[in-house]
Amino acid sequence: MSTAILADTVTPAALAPYIQHTLIEVGVTRDRIVAHAEEAVRYGFNAAMVPGSWVPEVAEVLRGTGLEVASALDFPSVGVTTSAGKAAEAESLVRAGATQIDIGVQIGWLKSGRYDAFRDDIAGVVKASGVPIKVMLELPLLTPDEREVAVALAIEAGAAVLKNASSGAVEVANPDSIAYLVARAPEGVKVKASGAIKSFDQAVSLLRAGAVLLGTSAGVAIVTDTTDDQTTSY
């Protein structure tokens, strides 16, 4: 993490390289998705996070910029896709231009004691994709013991990044959850914060807790210091 974020004074614009600019909604048009990708370039975000169906268009806009083309699968309804389907979709997304993928996990399998299947579901995506996989662990849905198991299995499966949750519907991203993951992530495994990140102060607190990526749909408002009580983010 940049020492600028750890300093007492940090500007909103300095947060841009940590933000994965997110637009995952029903009915997004081509014009809007292209504008979203162009915003990612304009503000210097880490990535444009978009639905898989729009990855080719975003990959074209971001070509040569150095920005990541990110997408998600088995989401927003987490844990409903078969392992084979998840791996196949991951491979398809990479062929289309995705350079990172966030994935849902099989919470029900974990709670049923199907630990090998839970791990192998993640590992299948890691193997099929060949790109960094960010695992959405849905921490609030797990007991303390289940959290420990989920983190360990995700790491064993080859996860590049651990996430506290898939969205604000599961958890509002907070420093405690991020610190929990950071304390358990081995060298080389990073932590991404996700879930209703919609203010500068909240973003800074998550980075100072150890996150190196922030998933938010309020990135422009955060880096331009224009958030207010009406700002929303998923």
Side-chain angles (χ1 to χ4, degrees):
M1 187 188 307
S2 168
T3 55
I5 302 303
L6 298 176
D8 291 336
T9 58
V10 57
T11 65
L15 303 188
Y18 302 94
I19 291 176
Q20 301 211 306
H21 190 35
T22 304
L23 177 60
I24 299 180
E25 299 174 6
V26 174
V28 175
T29 64
R30 183 183 186 282
D31 286 348
R32 189 174 176 206
I33 211 75
V34 168
H36 180 78
E38 290 173 343
E39 282 181 345
V41 177
R42 183 180 316 127
Y43 292 99
F45 292 131
N46 170 271
M49 165 65 73
V50 298
S53 55
W54 288 117
V55 163
E57 285 77 9
V58 171
E60 182 61 31
V61 174
L62 298 187
R63 192 181 312 279
T65 66
L67 274 66
E68 303 286 352
V69 180
S71 192
L73 59 82
D74 202 10
F75 168 84
S77 296
V78 173
V80 299
T81 304
T82 66
S83 296
K86 193 180 294 186
E89 175 68 359
E91 187 177 8
S92 174
L93 289 174
V94 172
R95 285 200 306 268
T99 59
Q100 294 184 354
I101 302 174
D102 294 34
I103 67 169
V105 292
Q106 297 289 353
I107 298 297
W109 290 359
L110 183 76
K111 289 181 173 291
S112 300
R114 298 184 61 190
Y115 299 148
D116 288 349
F118 178 91
R119 179 199 60 223
D120 293 347
D121 181 71
I122 300 168
V125 175
V126 172
K127 181 178 179 180
S129 68
V131 301
I133 298 301
K134 291 167 278 177
V135 179
M136 302 184 280
L137 290 167
E138 311 293 54
L139 294 182
L141 305 184
L142 306 178
T143 66
D145 287 345
E146 288 168 348
R147 289 185 179 194
E148 296 289 344
V149 174
V151 169
L153 291 175
I155 293 168
E156 186 180 340
V161 179
L162 305 176
K163 290 180 61 176
N164 58 303
S166 58
S167 70
V170 177
E171 178 178 66
V172 174
N174 62 83
D176 288 344
S177 287
I178 300 310
Y180 174 88
L181 293 176
V182 169
R184 288 156 178 77
E187 184 176 356
V189 176
K190 301 176 181 178
V191 174
K192 175 180 175 181
S194 182
I197 302 172
K198 57 184 181 179
S199 75
F200 169 74
D201 288 343
Q202 181 187 13
V204 170
S205 73
L206 295 168
L207 292 171
R208 288 178 173 163
V212 298
L213 294 171
L214 306 174
T216 176
S217 57
V220 172
I222 290 171
V223 301
T224 59
D225 199 22
T226 56
T227 60
D228 56 31
D229 291 343
Q230 304 305 311
T231 301
T232 62
S233 176
Y234 43 79

